[in-house]
Amino acid sequence: MNKYNEFLADLFKDHSNVLVAHDLIEKLVTQFEVTENYARQLISRAVKEKIIKSSEPFSFEKRQYFYMNSKRNIDVTALLDISKKYRKPLYRLLTLLSRTGGICSYYEAVKITATPMTNKEKYRVISLEDDIRRLNDHKIIKKVEDRETGIPFLILLQDQIDIEDSSVIRQKIKAHLANMKRDVMFINDIIRWLVNHGFITDKVSYRRKDNPNLGAIRNDFPFDATTISKTTGFTISTGKNDEDHTIVVMEILIYRTYEKIDLEAFFERIQSIRHSTKQESSARKVMPIIFYLDVDESVKREINNLHILNFSLKSIMGSNIVQVIEKYRDMKKIIDEAFIIDEETSSSVIEKIGESLTVIEESGQMENLQNLKGDLFETLMYTVLSNLFKEAHLEHSKVIKSLDDPKKAYEFDVIVRDNSEDEIVIIELKGLKNTTIINLGDTSTPNSIRWFFGKTYPVAKDYYEKNSEYDKSKIKGCYITSANFSQEGLQKLDELNKSNKIKPSFLDCYYDRKKLLNLLKDHINLNSLRKKTGFIEILEKYYLVESN
């Protein structure tokens, strides 16, 4: 071994030692009084002769490679060591994966690396896709797409996980999807709270329950929610267009502790949109807001030092929200793990729902948690419907992609495969306040009658009719709500109910508050469930009470 190689080998005798290219070149120049160009050649030869190892294809500070002991693997530990100082986006991504059991959605990867979603050529960032490809090539992570939802996920290849075992992957994806839905579960309630307290007044774009992998884009970057606020304070010069509103961007993290990596990524995205104007000297006004369930104390101090508005879910919705979330998680776990929803399982779920609603009521947060209350209604109705359809197979929260436009997907609350009638019933559930009126609307108005029967129901109908497995089944639809329909809406629903094209054999094609209560009180298939559980009492108390 020549003197150069001996020097390099000794330099990296300690396996934890790593050096970026320009630092290593400087050491060679100082030690041997050679030119920088010759030092580069010496490094290149040493890599070829396996005296030292390069981090290629992973580049870091100023797109330079790092060098290390020849026997050290380019693994997660090595990449974390290097990227913590020299490639923060990559460090945050790998740290996130280690925090979440080795899995995250592509959306979360984009957020944590502060990667632009559009107009990427504007920003001087290393491509996330290139990083994913390199990590995949080195068998550090693998990008997989969930067959059911179409959502892409990144999975950390550790603990000898069998990436080819679809059941293992599906289990990881299913568990993480539940976490993602926990994050979006409170978005509508948070937005309502912000409106009530005057923070925002405008229409809000936000990450939705039916596709938690799709956030709101603001100036090329993803956020959990974004809008415009006119709560900007008073200035001497009023009336100018650039002074009468502020961009609002939100970060909402519920399922895990809010950490430093989250704050760094959020702040980078904020800075990017602040300086995205054509006139670089004029930064846009941005009001960032963070919502979390738990936060590291040091991170909390840093958030306050950056003057970012931040709220604990416990502070705005009561400390009992933790107990509600735990009960909600337990309830969902019971359903997800049950092969069939029998009476025993139904009793456990109904008990958890009753306990959750009682806690919400006692905490005085019923008005603030309307969205969660609606989710509990949907879960309760899924459980009851599982008992009503004795011989059928039911699925809940099923995502179906449009055959006409695969980029569009809709989540369906309950799908009943009733083999006794050769029918598939698509059921829409809406747990709304009893004073709410659901209008006829149109296919552009969410929650309206025509939104379901004219837009989302046809997607499911098309999917099942063109699937050879269900080619003999008749596809029916049913809209069930704890609220009321408008008179115009009822006229249309009565028309649909007289037609065999949509009306199920076993149900009508719609149920409002009163009609639903009558069905559940009288149907023979629910006799046993009525005796063993208090689901009727729960519905009457929290959902189907008479309007004031």
Side-chain angles (χ1 to χ4, degrees), residues 377 380 520 535-545:
F377 172 80
L380 178 56
L520 301 181
F535 82 91
I536 292 288
E537 290 75 11
I538 291 172
L539 284 165
E540 284 185 310
K541 181 176 182 180
Y542 295 106
Y543 299 100
L544 307 180
V545 292

Side-chain angles (χ1 to χ4, degrees), residues 20 34 69 96 208 229 238 285 469 480 500:
V20 71
V34 296
N69 186 285
L96 173 66
R208 304 181 70 91
S229 174
T238 58
K285 292 185 291 184
E469 185 180 349
I480 299 175
N500 289 329

Side-chain angles (χ1 to χ4, degrees), residues 358-400:
T358 299
V359 171
I360 294 172
E361 182 182 43
E362 290 176 349
S363 65
Q365 297 295 326
M366 197 64 80
E367 284 299 311
N368 288 335
L369 293 170
Q370 288 296 321
N371 197 53
L372 175 58
K373 185 182 173 187
D375 278 351
L376 292 170
F377 172 80
E378 292 174 16
T379 306
L380 178 56
M381 285 307 305
Y382 166 71
T383 307
V384 172
L385 289 167
S386 296
N387 287 266
L388 193 147
F389 286 91
K390 293 290 188 184
E391 305 300 326
H393 174 76
L394 277 73
E395 293 180 273
H396 70 97
S397 305
K398 182 175 177 65
V399 176
I400 296 178

